[in-house]
Amino acid sequence: MLKLIKLELKHINLRVYSITTLILVGIILAFTYFVANAAQVTQETEFMDYSNIFQFTCIISILLFSVLSATMYINLIIKEYSGKRLSLLFSYPADRKKIFMAKVLIIFFLISISMMMCTIIPIVIFSITESFVPIVSDTITAKLLFSTFETIFVSVLFANIIGIFAMGIGFIKKSVTVTLISAFILFGVYGNIAIITSNPLISSLCVAGISLFITVIVLIILSNKVNQMEVD
């Protein structure tokens, strides 16, 4: 499997995704400052504390990386398994299921690492600037930072789950449009779950655990489907 992952990584333009990650850092950071400033101007009490601001940052991150995840699945799986490259894929001297799972694992880990960076960096930058030029009249505590990192972890799981579910729907329908629409709809579901179940965190983890179990079933179904595909 490791050899397959290394082989598949050679076909991915990592530079494009690295630049995308940097852009997303800027977008998420800008949104964080925007929410903090807007709350003070409009006197929106809900966003006058760091807990809700950081939660909003995580929600925005889920949205952006759900779309990025779906886009990566479109480019690296859906298009390849429905296009001219199918015959080349099936000519590899390797198990079809393993090739498929190698692609999924690559996307899973790339999204996880990128999302962790893109969410943590803006929060750290925002927290540092708040110690010098505070926008919010609240206090950043170690407990808050710890709970925020827990929320980021759950958010990463949600974004990956959304991407895989959307890919599963798009793969069956063989449609790029359906994949992206599914990602937005699923974000609406999981975004609300993230808001409702963020406190206590155990509720979010239960939802993530159940969703991951379903995700495994989806991947098994898709890998079996790939194994039974024929080149036209």
Side-chain angles (χ1 to χ4, degrees), residues 28-29 31-37 39-40 44-59 119 122-149 151-152 198-199:
I28 294 170
L29 181 61
F31 265 109
T32 304
Y33 277 107
F34 173 77
V35 171
N37 280 286
Q40 307 311 308
E44 186 67 44
T45 56
E46 188 177 349
F47 289 106
M48 281 183 164
D49 63 84
Y50 292 120
S51 178
N52 286 334
I53 290 172
F54 293 160
Q55 185 184 27
F56 177 82
T57 301
C58 290
I59 297 298
T119 312
I123 288 175
V124 169
I125 292 173
F126 179 77
S127 300
I128 291 172
T129 59
E130 281 295 285
S131 64
F132 295 104
V133 187
I135 300 171
V136 184
S137 55
D138 192 13
T139 305
I140 296 177
T141 63
K143 182 181 179 181
L144 170 63
L145 292 175
F146 182 74
S147 65
T148 300
F149 285 124
T151 304
I152 292 171
S198 61
N199 191 12

Side-chain angles (χ1 to χ4, degrees), residues 42 61-62 78 89 112 117 130 135 137 154 179 210 228:
T42 61
S61 189
I62 293 174
I78 293 175
L89 268 176
S112 298
M117 288 174 55
E130 281 295 285
I135 300 171
S137 55
V154 174
T179 305
I210 294 169
Q228 295 168 3

Side-chain angles (χ1 to χ4, degrees), residues 44-221:
E44 186 67 44
T45 56
E46 188 177 349
F47 289 106
M48 281 183 164
D49 63 84
Y50 292 120
S51 178
N52 286 334
I53 290 172
F54 293 160
Q55 185 184 27
F56 177 82
T57 301
C58 290
I59 297 298
I60 291 298
S61 189
I62 293 174
L63 170 61
L64 295 175
F65 280 91
S66 295
V67 175
L68 179 60
S69 178
T71 303
M72 291 181 73
Y73 281 115
I74 287 169
N75 291 330
L76 302 180
I77 292 183
I78 293 175
K79 285 184 177 179
E80 292 204 349
Y81 282 97
S82 60
K84 295 178 181 179
R85 199 171 133 71
L86 187 62
S87 56
L88 178 61
L89 268 176
F90 287 173
S91 68
Y92 287 174
D95 186 83
R96 292 182 181 184
K97 291 182 179 181
K98 287 185 178 180
I99 295 173
F100 174 78
M101 287 307 302
K103 290 176 179 290
V104 172
L105 287 173
I106 287 170
I107 298 170
F108 181 89
F109 285 114
L110 284 177
I111 289 295
S112 298
I113 294 168
S114 299
M115 186 172 173
M116 289 287 284
M117 288 174 55
C118 287
T119 312
I120 291 173
I121 291 174
I123 288 175
V124 169
I125 292 173
F126 179 77
S127 300
I128 291 172
T129 59
E130 281 295 285
S131 64
F132 295 104
V133 187
I135 300 171
V136 184
S137 55
D138 192 13
T139 305
I140 296 177
T141 63
K143 182 181 179 181
L144 170 63
L145 292 175
F146 182 74
S147 65
T148 300
F149 285 124
E150 288 179 333
T151 304
I152 292 171
F153 174 74
V154 174
S155 298
V156 169
L157 289 179
F158 280 176
N160 276 296
I161 289 165
I162 290 169
I164 291 172
F165 282 172
M167 181 266 293
I169 297 169
F171 191 94
I172 293 170
K173 295 292 184 179
K174 294 183 179 179
S175 171
V176 170
T177 305
V178 168
T179 305
L180 290 173
I181 291 173
S182 298
F184 279 108
I185 293 172
L186 288 165
F187 163 73
V189 174
Y190 279 93
N192 282 313
I193 290 173
I195 294 170
I196 295 168
T197 62
S198 61
N199 191 12
L201 185 71
I202 190 68
S203 302
S204 293
L205 289 173
C206 286
V207 173
I210 294 169
S211 298
L212 283 172
F213 177 74
I214 298 172
T215 298
V216 171
I217 295 174
V218 170
L219 290 175
I220 291 172
I221 292 171

Side-chain angles (χ1 to χ4, degrees), residues 90 96-97 221-230:
F90 287 173
R96 292 182 181 184
K97 291 182 179 181
I221 292 171
L222 291 179
S223 61
N224 287 331
K225 188 175 178 65
V226 165
N227 202 44
Q228 295 168 3
M229 289 176 72
E230 298 292 339

